[in-house]
Amino acid sequence: MTGSPKKMLGFCVHKKTLEKREVSLPALLPRWASIRVRLAGICNTDVEILRGYHGFRGIPGHEFVGEVAAVAGASRDEKRAWIGRRVMGEINISCAAHGFRPVCRFCKRGLKTHCARRTVLGILGHDGAFAEYLSLPLENLHRVPENVTDQQAVFVEPLAAACEILVQIDIRHFRSAAVLGDGKLAQLIARVLRTKLPRVVMYGKHEEKLKLARTAKIETQKVHGDERDHARLRDLYALLVEATGSPTGLRLAQEMTEPRGTLILKSTFHGAAPVETWPIVVKELSIIGSRCGPFAEAIALLRSGKVDPTQLITKTFPLAQAPKAIQFAQERGVMKVLLKP
């Protein structure tokens, strides 16, 4: 990286907060890239990391759009093809990308997101996007189309997670769906489902967030977040996605899903969820855990204009104000908060 800085600004997890540090630029393995971060998004998972999720102690942040600054161990033509390009990156780094041989049994089956020795950008064993630079293998990178802005591209990772639902189920079997939750991921999920279904209903506690959903032709219903919901919301949907980000959401989601219905779980949080399992058996529910998803499909939705997530952006902070930004992101009514190095 001739002419590039050797140190960078980064924010590390320390005692349940973000601590400003000057750190070395990431070292590059063969066929890895150094990426200058243009924008990073704050996700609920980042908040949970500060509470102890995964015991992560490095630089968090996994939603980003950046610009390739350097490439190691590649041909001159390949370097020329990548350097200077705007990119997003898949966050799961497989054992093959780390140079492990032979690759694990999950990678042999094509399940790189479940690699037994994977690291995960900003979540598990690999520093993330709350810094001026990050590193990823070339195989994880996707170029940003010219007609997609940085503010749109920074949503690709969570939008891909929403698209994963369409990989896991045959959406043609359903005429409607519900999304429980009105936060950032719930909003993206509802928008993705709405591209395939004539009716999608979002259930949430916050009127200002539900209003955002209605602008995307998504029906909304207000919930109280207490026992009143459990008394009236029962056996309503054949397909329901739980995306509350709360351990209490699973119980209501079970109740709202009709017998032999499909319940998709999207929430990740630190700690256990209090839940009874007998309704799953009695109602014969199909429960599917859902995590990362296909970047190509997410990028296609942005490029086509079928989904535009930029209305979910509440505020952009300078990277130097990352601790203030992550506190602001937890305030009532706040949606997506971005960091700009």
Side-chain angles (χ1 to χ4, degrees):
M1 294 179 60
T2 305
S4 297
K6 296 181 179 180
K7 295 286 185 178
M8 68 174 184
L9 174 65
F11 284 85
C12 298
V13 176
H14 181 70
K15 294 182 179 180
K16 297 186 176 181
T17 189
L18 293 176
E19 181 178 82
K20 181 180 178 180
R21 294 181 185 173
E22 185 180 57
V23 297
S24 298
L25 262 67
L28 299 183
L29 294 171
R31 300 193 59 75
W32 281 53
S34 175
I35 298 150
R36 182 176 65 82
V37 179
R38 294 167 66 103
L39 281 177
I42 295 176
C43 171
N44 283 353
T45 301
D46 302 316
V47 175
E48 294 297 329
I49 282 172
L50 293 181
R51 296 170 181 164
Y53 181 67
H54 268 315
F56 184 72
R57 291 293 177 268
I59 298 172
H62 56 277
E63 301 175 3
F64 78 93
V65 57
E67 182 179 301
V68 176
V71 176
S75 69
R76 182 179 299 177
D77 288 344
E78 198 166 23
K79 288 181 179 180
R80 186 180 299 116
W82 280 108
I83 291 175
R85 295 296 184 95
R86 287 191 304 146
V87 294
M88 305 83 62
E90 299 189 34
I91 67 176
N92 295 281
I93 305 166
S94 69
C95 54
H98 282 293
F100 296 125
R101 298 292 187 275
V103 299
C104 74
R105 59 195 177 99
F106 298 110
C107 286
K108 287 178 181 177
R109 291 163 53 191
L111 299 175
K112 290 187 177 182
T113 58
H114 294 279
C115 169
R117 292 177 287 191
R118 75 183 184 277
T119 57
V120 185
L121 181 74
I123 297 175
L124 181 65
H126 191 80
D127 285 337
F130 294 176
E132 293 177 300
Y133 290 83
L134 59 84
S135 65
L136 279 176
L138 290 178
E139 68 181 47
N140 285 51
L141 301 184
H142 295 260
R143 293 177 175 86
V144 182
E146 289 186 6
N147 70 328
V148 174
T149 67
D150 284 356
Q151 287 74 18
Q152 293 171 320
V154 76
F155 282 91
V156 165
E157 193 279 331
L159 186 59
C163 291
E164 177 70 0
I165 294 169
L166 301 180
V167 176
Q168 294 174 297
I169 65 170
D170 188 342
I171 198 68
R172 295 172 298 179
H173 292 167
F174 305 94
R175 296 186 58 81
S176 64
V179 178
L180 183 57
D182 54 17
K184 300 177 288 294
L185 181 56
Q187 297 275 348
L188 295 175
I189 291 167
R191 283 160 172 76
V192 168
L193 292 176
R194 188 64 180 82
T195 67
K196 300 294 184 179
L197 295 172
R199 182 173 184 249
V200 177
V201 186
M202 175 177 285
Y203 287 77
K205 296 190 293 185
H206 311 98
E207 179 55 35
E208 65 276 15
K209 294 181 180 181
L210 295 175
K211 184 178 179 180
L212 282 174
R214 290 194 292 271
T215 66
K217 298 181 181 179
I218 297 160
E219 295 180 35
T220 63
Q221 292 285 336
K222 193 85 173 285
V223 294
H224 302 284
D226 57 29
E227 288 299 321
R228 289 174 288 179
D229 300 325
H230 299 283
R232 68 184 181 90
L233 300 175
R234 290 183 175 274
D235 301 343
L236 297 175
Y237 296 95
L239 174 61
L240 188 139
V241 183
E242 193 284 315
T244 64
S246 166
T248 62
L250 180 54
R251 177 190 165 196
L252 182 58
Q254 287 181 174
E255 293 167 352
M256 292 176 65
T257 307
E258 67 182 36
R260 293 204 172 179
T262 300
L263 171 56
I264 310 286
L265 303 184
K266 275 293 187 182
S267 291
T268 54
F269 44 80
H270 180 57
V275 64
E276 293 181 314
T277 58
W278 67 262
I280 300 171
V281 177
V282 171
K283 295 171 71 173
E284 298 182 311
L285 301 181
S286 296
I287 296 185
I288 301 174
S290 185
R291 188 166 52 98
C292 301
F295 269 49
E297 281 78 354
I299 293 168
L301 286 177
L302 294 177
R303 188 173 53 228
S304 68
K306 290 181 180 179
V307 174
D308 182 6
T310 54
Q311 66 175 169
L312 303 179
I313 299 171
T314 300
K315 190 172 182 178
T316 300
F317 286 81
L319 174 63
Q321 295 180 18
K324 180 179 178 181
I326 205 161
Q327 289 301 317
F328 177 74
Q330 298 174 65
E331 293 182 9
R332 182 180 175 87
V334 171
M335 296 298 283
K336 180 61 71 178
V337 176
L338 304 179
L339 294 173
K340 185 175 179 62

